[in-house]
């Protein structure tokens, strides 16, 4: 489609990624007349919510995983405890034999390779009280296994590679939080579900222990964000559903509304505005029955306007953002 021209520029200089985007197309970017009203317009004191805050325990995703016990057993003294004609240092032992050996990191019971290194299935009781039971590859936790920490509450059960969680696995934290999903090099990476002990949860993409890609976060308050993330923050297009029935659909940057957005109230009213740093700028409002429209100023005041002007604003917003075009089509 082709962007349609509006009647005059936006008066708010902060504002609007819509303003910036439309200016790049060399057109004016507001419905408002130069004085903010037109002849016969009626000023209304209808409040407008410029900023909606939602506070969850995990809005910025810091690394939560505890330090894994050392998986690589580096030692020069391998002491054979079980004496059944085996060499005192344990070398040359068949991998099919279960032996008990003492390492600087703790005691190991299980199969070893021809060099006496843990290989196959075995149990390592670390000196710090942690216990790993599962598969080993040449002295390193590798395959499927369970590591239970000294506190008896913290536990990882799943796939390992080179001494670190990698593949699919479930990590239970001492505070009751739980992550079940993909791992890479000891970090949450891929698709996974993180469930908080306070009933919050995040289901979606991860990268380096942070929300990344598409994901859905359900907050304790009942608010829900479903959309794009980048390095633990909302970034890109998404829909934020408030517990009171209101809904925002639009662009985010650095965890804040930034760009074009649609705010749809539970009563059916619909605003199309531009946002910068979570603050709404100027735009238009449609009545619940879509038979009336208002210009909305950045201070929250609004005035009646012609439907054709409001529809022009809507059409241009749809051209710029296919995401909003789809959303608006579903909420006529």
């Amino acid at each position: 489609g082709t962007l349609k021209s509006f009647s005059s520029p936006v008066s708010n200089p902060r504002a609007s990624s819509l303003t910036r985007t439309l200016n790049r197309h060399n057109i004016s970017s507001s419905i408002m007349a130069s004085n903010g009203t037109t002849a016969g317009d009626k000023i209304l004191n209808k409040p407008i919510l410029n900023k909606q805050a939602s506070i969850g325990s995990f809005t910025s995703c810091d690394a939560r995983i505890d330090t894994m016990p050392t998986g690589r057993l580096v030692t020069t003294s391998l002491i054979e405890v079980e004496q059944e004609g085996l060499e005192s240092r344990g070398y040359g032992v068949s991998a099919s034999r279960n032996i008990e050996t003492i390492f600087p990191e703790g005691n190991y019971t299980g199969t070893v390779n021809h060099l006496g290194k843990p290989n196959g299935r075995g149990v390592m009781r670390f000196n710090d009280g942690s216990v790993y039971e599962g598969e080993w590859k040449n002295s390193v936790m590798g395959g499927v296994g369970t590591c239970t920490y000294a506190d008896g509450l913290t536990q990882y059960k799943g796939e390992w590679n080179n001494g670190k969680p990698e593949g699919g696995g479930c990590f239970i934290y001492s505070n009751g939080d739980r992550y079940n999903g993909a791992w890479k090099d000891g970090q949450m990476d891929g698709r996974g579900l993180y469930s908080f002990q306070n009933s919050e949860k995040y289901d979606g993409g991860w990268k380096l222990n942070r929300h990344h890609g598409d994901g859905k976060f359900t907050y304790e308050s009942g608010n829900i964000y479903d959309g794009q993330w980048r390095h633990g923050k909302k970034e890109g297009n998404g829909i934020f559903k408030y517990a009171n029935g209101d809904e925002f659909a639009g662009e985010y940057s650095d965890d804040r509304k930034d760009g074009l957005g649609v705010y749809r109230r539970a009563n059916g009213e619909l605003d199309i505005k531009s946002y910068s740093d979570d603050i709404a700028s100027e735009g238009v409002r449609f009545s619940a029955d879509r038979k009336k429209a208002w210009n909305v100023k950045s201070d929250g005041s609004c005035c009646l306007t012609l439907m054709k002007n409001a529809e022009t604003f809507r059409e241009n917003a749809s051209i710029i953002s296919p995401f909003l075009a789809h959303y608006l089509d579903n909420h006529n």
Side-chain angles (χ1 to χ4, degrees):
T2 303
L3 291 170
K4 298 182 179 181
S5 296
F6 295 130
S7 57
S8 63
V10 170
S11 57
N12 181 358
R14 264 193 86 188
S16 127
S17 44
L18 174 58
T19 301
R20 296 192 296 271
T21 306
L22 294 182
N23 283 341
R24 287 198 295 270
H25 290 277
N26 297 317
I27 68 172
S28 178
S29 57
S30 173
I31 296 175
M32 292 53 162
S34 59
N35 63 354
T37 61
T38 57
D41 278 342
K42 180 181 180 181
I43 300 295
L44 303 178
N45 292 320
K46 297 185 68 174
I48 184 170
L49 190 58
N50 286 333
K51 184 175 181 179
Q52 284 276 6
S54 60
I55 300 175
S57 62
F58 205 15
T59 53
S60 182
C61 177
D62 295 326
R64 302 180 63 87
I65 190 170
D66 297 327
T67 302
M68 287 288 176
T70 302
R72 186 176 296 277
L73 303 178
V74 179
T75 181
T76 56
S77 60
L78 181 63
I79 302 174
E80 180 62 65
V81 176
E82 184 178 312
Q83 298 293 337
E84 291 183 359
L86 303 176
E87 297 179 14
S88 61
R89 297 181 64 205
Y91 295 109
V93 178
S94 168
S96 65
R97 296 299 301 269
N98 287 327
I99 64 170
E100 184 177 347
T101 54
I102 301 173
F103 291 90
E105 297 86 356
N107 295 344
Y108 172 80
T109 302
T111 60
V112 297
N113 61 16
H114 68 286
L115 296 177
K117 296 181 179 181
N119 198 75
R121 291 199 61 84
V123 178
M124 180 71 180
R125 293 175 174 84
F126 291 91
N127 294 330
D128 66 0
S130 300
V131 178
Y132 171 81
E133 181 175 1
E135 296 176 314
W136 295 79
K137 292 182 180 179
N138 196 28
S139 292
V140 181
M141 293 178 281
V144 178
T146 301
C147 184
T148 304
Y149 288 77
D151 60 14
L153 300 174
T154 307
Q155 183 185 81
Y156 172 78
K157 183 178 183 179
E159 296 178 288
W160 298 75
N161 183 47
N162 199 30
K164 298 178 181 180
E166 182 152 341
C170 179
F171 198 102
I172 301 173
Y173 297 86
S174 59
N175 68 348
D177 290 358
R178 178 189 297 259
Y179 172 80
N180 195 350
W183 298 79
K184 183 178 180 181
D185 196 30
Q187 295 184 309
M188 294 174 275
D189 202 299
R191 299 288 300 184
L193 170 63
Y194 195 109
S195 302
F196 296 86
Q197 53 83 25
N198 67 350
S199 79
E200 292 186 334
K201 62 182 179 180
Y202 170 80
D203 189 0
W206 295 79
K207 189 176 182 65
L208 302 176
N209 281 348
R210 296 177 180 271
H211 309 150
H212 195 85
D214 294 328
K216 180 179 180 180
F217 197 112
T218 303
Y219 296 87
E220 185 179 15
S221 63
N223 295 340
I224 298 174
Y225 172 77
D226 192 354
Q228 297 174 318
W229 300 78
R230 185 173 183 270
H231 303 319
K233 296 181 178 181
K234 294 185 284 290
E235 183 85 22
N237 293 317
I239 298 176
F240 199 106
K241 297 181 179 180
Y242 296 92
N244 65 0
D246 291 357
E247 188 170 284
F248 171 83
E251 298 173 275
Y252 284 86
S253 178
D254 196 31
D255 230 21
R256 295 174 176 269
K257 301 180 186 74
D258 195 87
L260 282 171
V262 173
Y263 194 96
R264 186 172 62 87
R265 292 173 177 78
N267 65 6
E269 289 184 339
L270 185 145
D271 293 355
I272 305 174
K273 296 177 291 185
S274 56
Y275 291 77
S276 178
D277 196 28
D278 236 14
I279 304 300
S281 183
E282 295 158 338
V284 296
R285 174 177 298 168
F286 291 89
S287 62
D289 60 9
R290 305 296 184 263
K291 294 181 179 180
K292 293 182 180 180
W294 297 264
N295 293 332
V296 181
K297 293 186 178 181
S298 57
D299 63 3
S301 63
C302 53
C303 58
L304 284 167
T305 190
L306 296 175
M307 281 295 296
K308 66 177 183 180
N309 287 344
E311 288 294 343
T312 297
F313 194 102
R314 171 182 169 144
E315 289 174 18
N316 283 344
S318 297
I319 291 170
I320 294 169
S321 172
F323 173 78
L324 288 185
H326 178 74
Y327 182 86
L328 288 169
D329 284 344
N330 290 332
H331 296 89
N332 281 326

